[in-house]
Amino acid sequence: MSDVKVKICGLSTEETMEAALEAGADMVGLMFFPKSPRHVSLSKACKLADMARGKSEIVAVTVDIDPDGLSRIRELVNPDIFQFHGSEAPEALAAAKVMQGARVMKALSVAEREDLERAHYYSIVADWILFDAKPPKGSELPGGNGVSYDWTLLKDLDLKKPFLLSGGLDPSNVADAIRQSGVSAVDVSSGVEREKGVKDSELIRAFMAAAKSA
């Protein structure tokens, strides 16, 4: 078994949360973005977070949310990490770390090598960087679109902070992605769904097995 960390993102049911936890997910992501088919209410998120607490790191995924919204999530769900998946500036991450007393992760869109440059600014503040594919034209979702990019762009990237590879991963290609990129952490959402926004327990287990054995 490898020591690759795996984040299963956009979980929204107790059954699929259970599958992710039993399969050994290192991080579980709860989506707080009403436009997303994976969005969960605060009350639902509380139940799911309670299942995961102490077993996996709970990541609250947000998109350009205001400080009051962050505080409500902090108060009710108490995540380990806030993920910022919008156009948030490094200063917003720094403020959230202080005000919410939690670690922060910044998602950045990648299509070519130049897109990695911004990561150095964010890595000063962020505890994790997540490299996702650029969304297709016209998509309202910043992530979870099932599109990929050249994984070799991340090879030998020296950020001084841990980072995850995301975008277009599924059980059939994750091992190859890990080999090509050399990353030690991966993130999946649409690649373990049977239809948009609906996770599949079998696909979660298959992804976990493939990533951990890479």
Side-chain angles (χ1 to χ4, degrees):
M1 296 288 273
S2 72
D3 56 358
V4 170
K5 279 188 180 291
V6 180
K7 174 170 168 267
I8 307 286
C9 201
L11 290 159
S12 58
T13 68
E14 286 164 42
E15 181 207 340
T16 53
M17 174 62 82
E18 193 64 51
L21 295 171
E22 282 180 1
D26 301 281
M27 297 179 184
V28 289
L30 303 173
M31 176 68 71
F32 299 92
F33 183 50
K35 286 182 180 175
S36 170
R38 304 163 188 106
H39 172 71
V40 286
S41 66
L42 282 167
S43 60
K44 182 72 175 176
C46 287
K47 282 186 190 145
L48 295 171
D50 284 345
M51 289 175 69
R53 206 169 313 283
K55 299 173 187 168
S56 182
E57 293 198 290
I58 302 157
V59 183
V61 184
T62 64
V63 180
D64 297 314
I65 193 172
D66 60 35
D68 285 350
L70 285 178
S71 294
R72 277 187 66 69
I73 295 168
R74 180 67 175 151
E75 187 185 326
L76 296 170
V77 182
N78 193 22
D80 300 295
I81 301 169
F82 276 103
Q83 177 179 324
F84 295 87
H85 213 118
S87 55
E88 305 90 358
E91 293 78 8
L93 272 67
K97 272 184 96 157
V98 173
M99 290 170 68
Q100 310 306 335
R103 283 169 290 149
V104 297
M105 177 186 292
K106 179 68 179 104
L108 298 172
S109 300
V110 178
E112 52 201 40
R113 188 166 293 282
E114 286 66 46
D115 296 323
L116 301 177
E117 290 305 311
R118 288 192 309 146
H120 294 283
Y121 299 108
Y122 283 98
S123 67
I124 296 166
V125 181
D127 299 282
W128 283 88
I129 300 287
L130 184 147
F131 292 108
D132 201 355
K134 288 204 169 167
K137 219 171 181 52
S139 172
E140 284 196 288
L141 304 178
N145 293 296
V147 290
S148 188
Y149 56 96
D150 179 1
W151 299 317
T152 62
L153 291 176
L154 300 185
K155 198 152 184 74
D156 303 321
L157 178 65
D158 182 14
L159 261 191
K160 309 281 190 280
K161 288 286 172 73
F163 56 89
L164 300 105
L165 167 63
S166 185
L169 299 179
D170 61 40
S172 70
N173 67 15
V174 64
D176 203 32
I178 291 165
R179 281 192 289 270
Q180 285 187 38
S181 63
V183 298
S184 56
V186 290
D187 167 270
V188 68
S189 185
S190 62
V192 291
E193 291 178 347
R194 58 175 175 265
E195 57 187 85
K196 205 163 188 61
V198 184
K199 294 283 182 288
D200 183 287
S201 295
E202 286 306 314
L203 288 174
I204 288 171
R205 285 189 273 270
F207 186 90
M208 287 295 309
K212 291 289 186 182
S213 63

